[in-house]
């Protein structure tokens, strides 16, 4: 599991003192080769944290030898000093790792509160500690060290025919597409170049992390990296590899939804009968972001009127008098009006399935979200104070 | 105050038994002329309630002699039967009012739960009761009868140089532009034609009701009507009249925000330095819809990073390194980074002012929203069950 499931990687997770509570807050993932191929996908927020700006540059070279990740501070909206701190972090890691490491191949990712400079007097010595702790079993510790409001650490892996894709993720709040507030590092020992990694990673994130929309809020720090060591000596067929990456991403994305801040329900919204996939995604996101519906689901109330209200705000192709909505398999709305008896709907389970049929075409999409709860409000009204 | 502040109007508000709890639920507003000029603005939701579809047709004639409004049921997503019920309501009102009233000039507006047929066996007899109760002092009773989750009824008026604009509004939840979940009836005794009313109403709603964005959810039933009786015999200058309409709309819009479901803060978001007004509105709405920020405001936490995150998701023209944000007058973010000390910000008052400076141009816009609270969740998770 995690980033050390694949051969050729070592990792560590330690407490550098960035978090006041003494919890682990610094992770290091090292690719020991023979390859250093890498690809990355980043937040589409135009306000990008310093580590995102740095790592986007690193990725242009197509090679990543190590990733330094910290929780306890996002290093976003921190101006030129914030960027200098990220640069110094990469330089320090390259120095501490020695050998052929250079800062231009060290990715950096940060998560935590926006608008606060990182305590570099703790972070830089922490890198020495992390280097000393590197191990081929360090994947779990690394996954623990990137947690913020996560209640559990998140890892996944797939092994096939002698090669493996594994990974870790953090994310519990600010989950919205492009991407969710997440840091994700995936590793593989498959022998593939960075262009192939990039293709597989973009295809996978498009239908997994990018369709997690827990609270509609988009982060400044989202980073998903895929590193290949080539250590298995195996070059899998593209389709097999892409499917393995998608499976690991999907597993981690579901874990993010399952651990979303204050949530009591995981809501799977499937839009069917759409004219095209864009319409299906637009409608799914509109439903996922409807606060009134999210409150209703929290109250186990199959309030399909709020689904129709949400559909009605989109530009998707549909006729309001032909819309159908099922909640947990009961078609409570047929042809835009009252359908089966809403009392037939049981919503006791954590997972709630909403199907919205636009009755227009044959395209579909699935978006995941969570309910809106008093716990979400409490957790997010006290986060920085 | 209310819809009977202007001469030429009578109104009533009674309990027809549509609401199970026996509260007033049926309002009637009658224009006794000599003019029957009218204009209307409706929800931009593509899923429109039956009364919205009906009243849009009525307005095409430019004349409205009466408005029937009910709370206790939205008559939305109710299929052909729902539309027949609205039609029957207008016919009944025209019959009960007698004289020259005809159904084609009777507007209908409904508010309450979506997807439930109205109890016509109670609503239709209620119209007789309302007609019997009509009075030139009935404006307050009418305003009370259209309440749903409103804690107070909402009225406003402006009198100038012998003519008056008055009105009533209901709305406490599902407040989002285009419009908020609101029923509003404005009346005037100014002697103006329907084209002039339409122009003044659209200009007023564009910068008032359409910039109230309490919870991002757009209703199926929003209706704002403006009726002119001409009873003052005065034809004001267009600018004076438009300004009076805007003042009444602004007053009512602020009352909606002040009574938003479960809210503890009224948040005024002013975007300045925008390249154009569209950019300013887009950025304002994005900030207004950021659940994480709304939770932070609830917690009296001046979390400007969440403001920047929200700005970053828009397509507006700006440079992330030049953004400035003030909360209650303290510029906590300067040039996209840490500004004045956030501890200087006091957020004890109900009203919180956020200023976002895009530092690009000279356009601006103001959007109002509310904080996100546990009370909002409680109220909306139990609404229909």
């Amino acid at each position: 599991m995690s980033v050390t499931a694949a051969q050729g990687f070592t990792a560590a997770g330690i407490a550098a003192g960035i978090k006041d509570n003494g919890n682990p807050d610094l992770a290091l993932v090292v690719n020991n080769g023979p390859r250093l191929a890498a690809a990355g996908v980043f937040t589409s927020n135009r306000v990008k944290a310093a580590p995102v700006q740095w790592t986007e540059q690193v990725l242009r070279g197509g090679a990543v030898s190590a990733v330094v990740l910290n929780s306890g501070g996002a290093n976003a909206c921190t101006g030129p000093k914030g960027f200098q701190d990220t640069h110094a972090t990469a330089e320090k890691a390259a120095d501490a790792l020695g050998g052929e490491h250079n800062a231009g191949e060290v990715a950096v990712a940060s998560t935590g509160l926006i608008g606060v400079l990182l305590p570099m007097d703790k972070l830089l010595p922490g890198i020495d500690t992390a280097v000393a702790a590197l191990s081929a079993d360090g994947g779990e510790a690394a996954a623990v060290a990137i947690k913020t409001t996560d209640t559990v650490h998140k890892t996944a892996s797939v092994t096939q025919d002698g090669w493996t894709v594994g990974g870790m993720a953090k994310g519990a709040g600010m989950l919205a597409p492009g991407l969710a507030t997440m840091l994700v590092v995936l590793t593989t020992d498959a022998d593939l170049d960075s262009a192939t990694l990039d293709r597989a990673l973009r295809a996978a994130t498009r239908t997994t992390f990018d369709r997690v929309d827990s609270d509609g809020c988009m982060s400044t720090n989202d980073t998903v990296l895929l590193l290949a060591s080539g250590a298995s000596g195996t070059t899998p067929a593209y389709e097999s590899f892409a499917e393995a990456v998608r499976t690991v991403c999907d597993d981690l994305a579901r874990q993010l939804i399952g651990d979303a801040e204050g949530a009591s329900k995981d809501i799977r919204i499937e839009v069917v009968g759409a004219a095209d996939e864009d319409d299906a995604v637009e409608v799914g996101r509109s439903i996922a972001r409807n606060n009134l519906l999210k409150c209703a689901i929290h109250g186990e109330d199959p309030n399909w009127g709020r689904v129709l209200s949400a559909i009605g705000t989109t530009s998707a192709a549909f006729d309001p008098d032909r819309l159908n909505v099922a909640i947990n398999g009961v078609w409570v709305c047929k042809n835009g009006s009252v359908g089966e008896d809403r009392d037939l709907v049981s919503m006791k389970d954590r997972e709630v399935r909403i199907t919205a049929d636009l009755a227009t075409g044959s395209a579909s999409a699935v978006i995941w979200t969570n309910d809106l709860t008093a716990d979400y409000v409490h957790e997010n009204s006290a986060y920085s104070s």
Side-chain angles (χ1 to χ4, degrees), chain A residues 10-33:
Chain A
T10 49
I14 61 108
I18 304 167
K19 289 179 178 166
D20 287 337
N21 63 10
N23 283 344
D25 51 20
L26 189 70
L28 181 63
V29 180
V30 177
N31 184 351
N32 300 299

Side-chain angles (χ1 to χ4, degrees), chain A residues 78-205:
Chain A
T78 43
K81 178 66 170 72
F83 192 81
Q84 288 164 20
D85 287 347
T86 293
H87 188 171
T89 300
E91 291 282 1
K92 171 70 186 178
D95 283 353
L97 287 164
E100 298 187 2
H101 287 278
N102 75 74
E105 294 178 350
V106 176
V108 180
S110 300
T111 180
L113 191 60
I114 298 174
V116 181
L117 287 166
L118 290 169
M120 297 303 288
D121 59 328
K122 293 172 178 166
L123 196 155
L124 295 181
I127 290 174
D128 287 321
T129 310
V131 168
L134 281 170
S135 114
D137 300 320
E140 297 295 318
V144 168
I146 59 174
K147 286 169 57 183
T148 53
T149 56
D150 308 64
T151 63
V152 293
H153 67 284
K154 290 131 185 146
T155 66
S157 69
V158 166
T159 297
Q160 284 184 1
D161 305 327
W163 55 274
T164 291
V165 176
M168 65 179 185
K170 94 92 205 173
M174 229 183 197
L175 298 177
L179 311 159
T181 261
M182 56 176 65
L183 302 184
V184 178
V185 180
L186 307 172
T187 57
T188 182
D189 46 22
D191 193 11
L192 295 165
D193 62 19
S194 59
T196 306
L197 299 181
D198 187 72
R199 183 178 163 206
L201 184 62
R202 286 181 194 282
T205 55

Side-chain angles (χ1 to χ4, degrees), chain A residues 223-240:
Chain A
T223 301
V224 181
L225 300 175
L226 171 56
L227 278 53
S229 69
S232 71
T234 303
T235 303
Y238 173 76
E239 300 304 337
S240 302

Side-chain angles (χ1 to χ4, degrees), chain A residues 202-224:
Chain A
R202 286 181 194 282
T205 55
R206 194 178 73 85
T207 60
T208 56
F209 295 123
D210 253 356
R211 295 196 182 164
V212 164
D213 199 337
S214 175
D215 66 3
C217 298
M218 188 194 294
S219 151
T220 51
N221 286 60
D222 299 324
T223 301
V224 181

Side-chain angles (χ1 to χ4, degrees), chain A residues 41-45 48 52 56 178-179 218-223:
Chain A
V41 177
F42 302 90
T43 183
S44 54
N45 199 309
K48 292 183 203 298
V52 169
E56 281 184 329
L179 311 159
M218 188 194 294
S219 151
T220 51
N221 286 60
D222 299 324
T223 301

Side-chain angles (χ1 to χ4, degrees), chain A residues 52-63:
Chain A
V52 169
Q53 296 177 44
W54 169 266
T55 303
E56 281 184 329
Q57 293 282 355
V58 168
L59 262 292
R60 285 190 195 146

